[in-house]
Amino acid sequence: MEPVLVVVDAGHGGRDPGTISPYDDTFFEKDVVLDIAKRVEKYLKDKGINAMLTRDGDYHFNDSIDKDLLERADIANRNNASLFVSIHVNGYDLKFKGAAAVNGMEVYYLNKDTVYTDFTDERYAEIVANKIIEFTGIKFNGIKSRGLSVLRNTHMPAILVETAYITNKEDHARLKSNDFRDKTAKGIVDGIELVLDEIGAFEHQGELYVFKEAGE
């Protein structure tokens, strides 16, 4: 029995800007995702769901990208997080024909050992993706299994949301929009609320708790 904690990861930061707009060289992934992550944290707390950010400002954890990614997973592991969500912005190499037309949202997952009975990372991705679509109406490119570091190294269900393509003009306008960022955050939060219900989160002495399966 552990208190509920959702760890929200804003990708990149500091020296690592993430994807950079091809239309505005001052517009970076790291800033967009931090804004969305802060909204997710706030809306979760507003609903009485304990949440924390891996980063709350413009910084990175290590000059080594691999070690930086490991630290994000380790923050969730050290704090016995119930769920982990990493927020990103996608991009496509514009050297390729038709690249600028690529748009939409994807959610990545990696099925690991089960922490909650009959609940998978894939199910987590599916629930959150459906809620983001409901709120934003963005084109959905599907949930996809991939061995990304923050998914592979977290000890709890984890997903990575690629919110939109900074290299697509329509998605670029969405990412600059306060409305889109807010609806994306609210979709993630409503999805997490549904997930907590599905894994059996319950209130005890005014706090939310979950039962995790004991490891071998």
Side-chain angles (χ1 to χ4, degrees):
M1 177 172 157
E2 291 183 356
V4 166
L5 172 65
V6 179
V7 170
V8 185
D9 175 47
H12 309 280
R15 296 181 192 172
D16 175 12
T19 56
I20 301 171
S21 164
Y23 314 109
D24 176 355
D25 61 11
T26 65
F27 191 53
F28 306 131
E29 174 180 6
K30 66 176 183 177
D31 299 324
V32 175
V33 297
L34 180 60
D35 180 35
I36 295 172
K38 285 181 174 179
R39 295 173 195 237
V40 171
E41 181 199 33
K42 178 187 182 300
Y43 292 143
L44 284 169
K45 288 181 174 179
D46 287 349
K47 288 176 176 283
I49 300 167
N50 193 25
M52 67 174 287
L53 299 168
T54 55
R55 69 176 179 97
D56 57 5
D58 184 18
Y59 54 85
H60 59 287
F61 298 101
N62 197 293
D63 287 342
S64 160
I65 290 175
D66 288 344
K67 289 179 180 178
D68 182 87
L69 292 169
L70 280 173
E71 177 58 21
R72 294 165 193 268
D74 284 347
I75 289 169
N77 295 337
R78 288 196 300 268
N79 286 280
N80 295 318
S82 313
L83 299 168
F84 177 93
V85 55
S86 188
I87 302 170
H88 287 257
V89 166
N90 222 333
Y92 211 93
D93 191 337
L94 294 180
K95 289 184 292 187
F96 294 101
K97 185 178 179 181
V102 178
N103 68 332
M105 180 266 294
E106 297 106 42
V107 178
Y108 291 90
Y109 71 93
L110 181 68
N111 281 335
K112 307 186 288 278
D113 291 341
T114 304
V115 174
Y116 306 108
T117 304
D118 299 324
F119 186 82
T120 64
D121 295 66
E122 182 176 7
R123 177 64 179 147
Y124 179 19
E126 180 182 68
I127 291 171
V128 172
N130 286 338
K131 275 294 178 181
I132 296 171
I133 298 161
E134 182 183 315
F135 272 82
T136 67
I138 193 169
K139 176 191 169 195
F140 181 43
N141 299 322
I143 60 170
K144 303 179 181 185
S145 178
R146 187 167 294 177
L148 301 169
S149 179
V150 292
L151 306 182
R152 196 173 64 247
N153 292 300
T154 39
H155 299 160
M156 70 293 303
I159 57 172
L160 186 148
V161 180
E162 290 280 8
T163 55
Y165 279 79
I166 203 168
T167 44
N168 173 267
K169 286 186 176 179
E170 289 76 18
D171 274 7
H172 188 275
R174 290 184 177 97
L175 291 166
K176 282 207 165 188
S177 156
N178 180 69
D179 183 63
F180 176 78
R181 295 185 194 189
D182 207 55
K183 286 178 177 175
T184 298
K186 286 177 177 174
I188 292 170
V189 169
D190 269 31
I192 286 171
E193 196 172 25
L194 287 176
V195 167
L196 288 172
D197 185 58
E198 191 159 310
I199 64 178
F202 61 96
E203 193 170 315
H204 175 69
Q205 296 182 346
E207 299 290 334
L208 277 177
Y209 285 83
V210 285
F211 281 112
K212 285 184 179 177
E213 294 184 14
E216 293 297 325

